[in-house]
Amino acid sequence: MDLVLLKAAVMGVVEGLTEFLPISSTGHLILAGALLGFDDEKAKVFDIAIQTGAILAVVIVYWQKIRATVAALPTQRQARRFALNVLIAFLPAVVLGLLFGKAIKEHLFTAGVVATTFILGGLVILWAERRQQGAVRIAEVEQMTPLDALKVGLVQCLAMIPGTSRSGATIIGGMLLGLSRKAATDFSFYLAIPTLIGAGAYSLFKERALLSAADLPLFAVGLVLSFVSAWACVRWLLRYISSHSFTPFAWYRIAFGIVVLLTASMGWVDWRG
């Protein structure tokens, strides 16, 4: 296999395995890209574009629910409310991303910010898991109100800070807002569909001058590997949360924060992306 395609395959696997776990796919992609020498401007577009493969995995895993909801939209109020909740939660990231995305990328993609958000995120997970016991108000996503959805959507905006983790912000944020671990995880997955597809499409359109037909094999490999690894990860995570907490991910985040500080201090990784 061509070396560039091999790098694309590795990055696809990293994206798929980390996108839906509360450990920040962005942080892992920055580290993997730096170690592989796959971190130029085209690689940054690649990192965002291959999220589409991971999202396809979510669509397939939740296909029955998605299909049933779409079919019921004309006749069932509950289906319309669910779709409205996803839309409401999606909008804050669109607005704030367009307003502040460029400034955030210019000023917050630093080792200090990434390490801090990794470590603070780990501490928040530990706190959320302790608080979760006896604090559940919403057991299933169908019980969420538009206000609940808006709150989760606002929490998702924290993920624009590198190292925070979109899934971590929505899942743990949802738990702190009273959602069960399962409801928070399910809603995080549903919300990922418009959020990541939108981010990927916007990035490809904005940076289209960097791309050519010769890049198709590169992106195809990344998308396929992202899909396969994300599909396995999502199925595993849904089984895992039925009987386990997110505490191990908290300690992993804290350890990874230390890795960020070490690699930055030694000059091994440029955490500005």
Side-chain angles (χ1 to χ4, degrees):
M1 181 184 290
D2 182 272
L3 181 59
V4 175
L5 293 183
L6 181 60
K7 292 179 180 180
V10 173
M11 296 295 281
V13 171
V14 171
E15 161 62 24
L17 293 179
T18 59
E19 182 61 55
F20 301 110
L21 299 179
I23 56 175
S24 178
S25 60
T26 299
H28 286 78
L29 287 171
I30 291 175
L31 179 59
L35 294 176
L36 293 171
F38 191 75
D39 53 2
D40 58 11
E41 290 303 313
K42 185 179 294 185
K44 294 174 186 177
V45 179
F46 171 88
D47 289 349
I48 298 174
I50 61 173
Q51 293 174 342
T52 306
I55 283 303
L56 180 58
V58 169
V59 171
I60 290 177
V61 170
Y62 283 90
W63 176 244
Q64 288 186 335
K65 167 70 175 178
I66 294 170
R67 183 178 61 181
T69 299
V70 172
L73 284 175
T75 58
Q76 293 186 16
R77 181 174 178 272
Q78 186 180 60
R80 290 194 294 270
R81 186 173 76 167
F82 174 76
L84 178 63
N85 283 347
V86 174
L87 176 61
I88 289 172
F90 168 61
L91 290 177
V94 175
V95 174
L96 294 183
L98 291 174
L99 290 176
F100 303 112
K102 184 177 179 180
I104 288 172
K105 192 166 186 177
E106 288 178 355
H107 301 292
L108 296 185
F109 274 68
T110 66
V113 171
V114 172
T116 299
T117 52
F118 265 116
I119 293 170
L120 287 179
L123 296 175
V124 170
I125 292 174
L126 294 175
W127 175 53
E129 284 291 358
R130 178 170 295 185
R131 185 177 180 273
Q132 173 80 174
Q133 300 176 5
V136 173
R137 175 173 60 84
I138 298 170
E140 301 290 340
V141 290
E142 290 81 6
Q143 299 172 338
M144 292 177 64
T145 67
L147 182 58
D148 293 321
L150 177 60
K151 290 177 180 178
V152 173
L154 290 171
V155 170
Q156 178 177 240
C157 295
L158 293 174
M160 287 189 281
I161 302 172
T164 300
S165 168
R166 191 210 63 83
S167 57
T170 51
I171 293 173
I172 304 305
M175 289 169 59
L176 291 173
L177 291 169
L179 277 68
S180 68
R181 189 179 292 109
K182 180 180 184 303
T185 302
D186 284 344
F187 193 72
S188 174
F189 286 160
Y190 290 127
L191 181 55
I193 296 172
T195 301
L196 298 188
I197 289 178
Y202 178 71
S203 177
L204 286 173
F205 176 77
K206 187 174 67 171
E207 305 294 347
R208 60 191 182 281
L210 292 174
L211 308 176
S212 67
D215 297 316
L216 286 175
L218 175 77
F219 280 76
V221 168
L223 284 167
V224 170
L225 270 296
S226 173
F227 163 74
V228 172
S229 54
W231 179 81
C233 184
V234 169
R235 288 175 60 86
W236 171 82
L237 183 61
L238 290 174
R239 292 194 301 271
Y240 175 88
I241 63 171
S242 65
S243 57
H244 297 82
S245 75
F246 287 113
T247 300
F249 297 109
W251 292 115
Y252 176 83
R253 287 184 64 102
I254 293 169
F256 200 90
I258 295 172
V259 169
V260 172
L261 291 175
L262 176 63
T263 54
S265 64
M266 299 297 291
W268 296 340
V269 177
D270 178 6
W271 287 92
R272 292 172 297 180

